Amino acid sequence: MASYFPEEWDDDIKMNGLMSVIKERMVNKVDYDRKMKFWTNMINASCIGEKNAVFDLLTLKRRFKRKDRIPASLAVVLEKMKREGDVITVGEWRDRHSGWMGWGISKTKSWMFGGSSDSEELLHLPTVKELGKNLLEIYNEELRSEVDCTGEVVTYKEMFERAKHIISTVETFDIVLEHLTDVGELTVGNTKNGEKILKFKDHGSEDPVKFTEADASVVDIRKAMTKLDREIQQLELKVKKYDEQCRACLRSGDKGRAQNFLRQRKRAEKDVADKDMQYQKLLTMLHQISAAKNNKDVLKAYQSGTAAFKATLARQGLSPDKIHETMDDVVNSMDEYREIEEAISSPFAGASGLNDTELEQELEDLLTDSKKNDSIHLPEAPTNRFGLFDREITPEEDQLEQRLARLRQAV
């Protein structure tokens, strides 16, 4: 019994009911839903377990035969799955993925041999999607990070060999590839020799996946590198063999043969060095191809960033002229502010309308007149400030004396 069979398969009581004819849903809703769910899940599990999304009704009958008993509800279950879009005919799939010629051949077959039958090939779409997801996981884990930086290009043969543990037939493999092409995960191309090549999408780039001549060249370079690597391994074995034979001849005293083997070893070592240099040159070419693609992506990123930056400046209304105009306005505003500060800090004129210069001049005149009236031999200094011994000083004279004292101190 296959591993995808459920535990109920060994229960005779449950399986007797599930193997019986399914009734209309309006008659027994619970029984209809139970049988429909069980056989739908069985078909899903069997397609994954058999690694094949293509089947027919006869195949299902053989696959689910239990003690000489065949499920009686498979045809009804398949009709429901067709209505829900989980199952289509292989012919319908081919019609979607072929040109006018393929469409005409498919239609001609359907007219000549009739419509559906127990042997009509059907395709389980959920299995196709699941296998496509698993195939991408294999690619991401085993091939995307190749040492030559061109892992997105893979030969059809190599990918099928790596996927044999999940896909058993070429037909299902081709259908899965067509599904991945539909969703934009890969494209299929051919080399000049007609070899089929798969190119997976580079998720670091927003461009749609497209097969080019450079991709075909990558495959040719890889094939040459594989051949060189195989030849290097063979030559290294020869070097080891000649070295052992040379040593054996030296131990036996046959110097002539030892010299011959030594000469052959030197020649083989030179061939290894030459082929290794060729291998390194091819590897450098692959790196340059990858670098050219990366440089293109970087340039495109620069262009996109520049366009976005310019658009942002335009939306914000920013330009060099506006910036210079704004800065000039700022300078003018600061100059006006300084003028306002200077005007505010300037001193007020005296309330009497006299300024300090006029007052100083008047005081100097008074002092000059006072010196002219004094004799050459001055008397002793008076005890009061104006040379008057007995007369009292008026308020006006006292005020003038105080102002004169302040002026002298200032001088």
Side-chain angles (χ1 to χ4, degrees):
M1 187 176 66
S3 60
Y4 54 80
F5 283 95
E7 295 179 358
E8 292 90 340
W9 195 260
D10 296 327
D11 192 328
D12 293 336
I13 298 176
K14 288 184 179 180
M15 290 309 302
N16 285 335
L18 293 170
M19 298 285 282
S20 62
V21 177
I22 190 170
K23 299 179 182 179
E24 294 290 338
R25 195 169 189 272
M26 62 181 65
V27 176
N28 191 336
K29 177 181 176 181
V30 175
D31 182 71
Y32 178 90
D33 292 343
R34 183 172 66 92
K35 291 180 179 178
M36 193 65 66
K37 180 180 179 181
F38 177 82
W39 290 114
T40 299
N41 292 338
M42 281 296 297
I43 293 173
N44 295 349
S46 68
C47 288
I48 296 294
E50 298 292 338
K51 308 171 188 177
N52 190 0
V54 178
F55 62 92
D56 55 35
L57 183 55
L58 291 177
T59 301
L60 292 183
K61 288 179 179 180
R62 290 193 298 268
R63 192 177 292 173
F64 300 143
K65 185 177 179 180
R66 185 180 185 276
K67 296 180 180 180
D68 297 329
R69 188 175 180 184
I70 297 174
S73 307
L74 289 178
V76 179
V77 174
L78 289 177
E79 288 299 323
K80 183 174 183 294
M81 295 178 73
K82 287 181 180 180
R83 292 195 301 270
E84 293 178 349
D86 290 337
V87 171
I88 62 173
T89 65
V90 174
E92 291 173 340
W93 180 269
R94 294 303 177 203
D95 290 344
R96 300 177 186 177
H97 298 85
S98 62
W100 286 103
M101 184 176 294
W103 179 83
I105 294 173
S106 175
K107 291 300 181 184
T108 302
K109 286 183 178 180
S110 65
W111 293 334
M112 291 178 62
F113 301 105
S116 62
S117 64
D118 288 357
S119 60
E120 182 182 32
E121 285 191 325
L122 303 175
L123 182 64
H124 190 245
L125 296 181
T127 298
V128 173
K129 296 177 181 178
E130 183 66 23
L131 293 178
K133 187 187 300 181
N134 295 338
L135 191 65
L136 288 177
E137 290 179 356
I138 293 174
Y139 163 70
N140 290 325
E141 292 176 0
E142 301 180 13
L143 294 170
R144 180 179 290 277
S145 58
E146 284 286 338
V147 67
D148 55 21
C149 303
T150 56
E152 67 270 12
V153 181
V154 187
T155 62
Y156 175 95
K157 182 178 179 181
E158 180 182 2
M159 198 69 220
F160 181 66
E161 290 295 327
R162 291 177 181 268
K164 275 188 174 180
H165 66 286
I166 62 169
I167 300 176
S168 60
T169 66
V170 174
E171 183 181 24
T172 297
F173 184 70
D174 290 339
I175 292 174
V176 171
L177 293 182
E178 290 169 347
H179 163 67
L180 292 177
T181 302
D182 292 340
V183 298
E185 289 293 339
L186 64 81
T187 187
V188 181
N190 293 282
T191 63
K192 296 178 181 179
N193 299 327
E195 185 179 8
K196 191 179 292 186
I197 304 299
L198 310 180
K199 182 178 181 181
F200 288 82
K201 180 177 177 59
D202 182 6
H203 291 281
S205 174
E206 296 182 356
D207 295 335
V209 58
K210 183 179 179 181
F211 189 83
T212 62
E213 292 184 1
D215 299 320
S217 300
V218 167
V219 175
D220 293 337
I221 293 173
R222 277 189 185 165
K223 291 176 68 175
M225 291 174 63
T226 302
K227 182 180 178 181
L228 284 172
D229 185 59
R230 186 166 55 249
E231 292 175 352
I232 289 173
Q233 292 178 4
Q234 293 174 356
L235 287 170
E236 287 176 344
L237 292 176
K238 286 185 178 181
V239 169
K240 184 178 180 181
K241 177 182 175 182
Y242 292 147
D243 183 72
E244 292 174 353
Q245 291 175 339
C246 178
R247 294 177 184 276
C249 290
L250 287 175
R251 285 193 296 270
S252 64
D254 191 350
K255 293 184 178 180
R257 292 188 63 193
Q259 186 177 5
N260 184 34
F261 285 128
L262 180 61
R263 187 179 297 109
Q264 293 182 22
R265 193 195 74 180
K266 293 292 185 180
R267 188 181 301 115
E269 288 177 345
K270 182 179 182 302
D271 291 341
V272 169
D274 293 341
K275 292 185 181 296
D276 183 70
M277 183 178 297
Q278 296 172 7
Y279 185 93
Q280 294 301 325
K281 288 181 179 179
L282 292 175
L283 182 61
T284 301
M285 291 177 64
L286 288 180
H287 281 295
Q288 289 174 346
I289 292 173
S290 177
K293 182 192 67 175
N294 293 333
N295 291 338
K296 176 186 174 183
D297 294 337
V298 171
L299 178 61
K300 185 177 293 185
Y302 284 159
Q303 293 172 345
S304 300
T306 302
F309 184 68
K310 289 181 177 179
T312 302
L313 292 177
R315 285 196 302 270
Q316 301 297 329
L318 297 176
S319 67
D321 292 338
K322 290 186 178 180
I323 295 297
H324 290 310
E325 183 180 350
T326 302
M327 295 307 297
D328 290 339
D329 292 340
V330 171
V331 173
N332 293 334
S333 299
M334 295 300 295
D335 291 340
E336 291 178 0
Y337 177 74
R338 282 194 291 270
E339 291 177 1
I340 292 172
E341 278 193 330
E342 290 176 359
I344 291 176
S345 62
S346 61
F348 290 102
S352 60
L354 300 175
N355 54 34
D356 291 340
T357 305
E358 294 176 351
L359 292 176
E360 291 177 1
Q361 184 61 42
E362 184 178 352
L363 289 174
E364 288 295 335
D365 294 340
L366 291 174
L367 288 174
T368 303
D369 294 340
S370 175
K371 290 180 179 180
K372 288 180 180 179
N373 295 328
D374 292 339
S375 60
I376 296 174
H377 301 285
L378 295 177
E380 294 180 1
T383 57
N384 57 0
R385 287 171 291 182
F386 284 88
L388 302 175
F389 294 95
D390 298 326
R391 185 170 61 89
E392 293 182 358
I393 299 173
T394 64
E396 288 80 8
E397 293 173 342
D398 186 84
Q399 185 177 1
L400 288 175
E401 181 65 24
Q402 293 177 2
R403 186 172 296 176
L404 179 61
R406 285 197 300 272
L407 288 173
R408 288 174 175 170
Q409 290 177 356
V411 174

